[in-house]
Amino acid sequence: MRLGKSLALTGTLALLACGLGTTPASAAAQAAASCPSGYVCMWEDPYYGGDLYVQQYAINGHHEIDGWNGDNEISSVINNTGKCVVLYANDAWSGRTHPIQKSGAQRLRPDLRLNGYDNEAESYGIFNSGC
Ligand SMILES: [Ca+2]
Ligand SMILES: [Ca+2]
Ligand SMILES: [Ca+2]
């Protein structure tokens, strides 16, 4: 009885895994889907490519970008927090800042090269105002 139930569950999981691998979607749509509502997401490459180094829920205050996985590598950002996100060029919320707006197209940074802020961010903040 116990074994039969376990095998059935394994089969269901295998089917789910197959389904996930075959979903057709554009890179942009995948990126948007991979940054859930209420989160800010930051990627290694422009146009939401490469490694997803930051996926942080909208908790107000200061946050660090990991020194090995993100510092001076962030090239695109989606701000789905509904709040202002401010990038800092150095650790511990210092250095040149780059604010990202809370709504509209201006909450997207598909290519930080266009903003003169590519591979700069090392920490960030989430605030109710200031953008
Ligand atoms: Ca950092
Ligand atoms: Ca980069
Ligand atoms: Ca930097």
Side-chain angles (χ1 to χ4, degrees), residues 5-89:
K5 212 170 187 178
S6 170
L7 284 174
L9 181 62
T10 304
T12 306
L13 288 174
L15 281 175
L16 282 172
C18 270
L20 286 175
T22 55
T23 306
S26 71
Q30 279 181 339
S34 70
C35 192
S37 178
Y39 284 77
V40 58
C41 304
M42 305 186 195
W43 286 264
E44 176 185 20
D45 297 335
Y47 297 96
Y48 323 120
D51 283 337
L52 175 62
Y53 282 137
V54 172
Q55 183 172 304
Q56 169 64 49
Y57 187 67
I59 298 169
N60 279 23
H62 288 116
H63 303 267
E64 266 299 337
I65 296 171
D66 188 272
W68 291 103
N69 295 303
D71 272 5
N72 296 318
E73 294 186 74
I74 303 301
S75 293
S76 52
V77 180
I78 293 178
N79 177 11
N80 279 343
T81 61
K83 300 177 181 179
C84 299
V85 169
V86 178
L87 305 178
Y88 296 83

Side-chain angles (χ1 to χ4, degrees), residues 59-125:
I59 298 169
N60 279 23
H62 288 116
H63 303 267
E64 266 299 337
I65 296 171
D66 188 272
W68 291 103
N69 295 303
D71 272 5
N72 296 318
E73 294 186 74
I74 303 301
S75 293
S76 52
V77 180
I78 293 178
N79 177 11
N80 279 343
T81 61
K83 300 177 181 179
C84 299
V85 169
V86 178
L87 305 178
Y88 296 83
N90 299 332
D91 280 335
W93 321 288
S94 63
R96 196 159 60 97
T97 58
H98 181 77
I100 300 178
Q101 285 69 23
K102 58 175 80 174
S103 61
Q106 288 304 306
R107 73 192 166 76
L108 306 175
R109 292 290 184 279
D111 187 350
L112 281 168
R113 291 176 297 191
L114 304 175
N115 308 96
Y117 210 82
D118 190 34
N119 300 329
E120 279 280 10
E122 291 173 56
S123 56
Y124 62 102

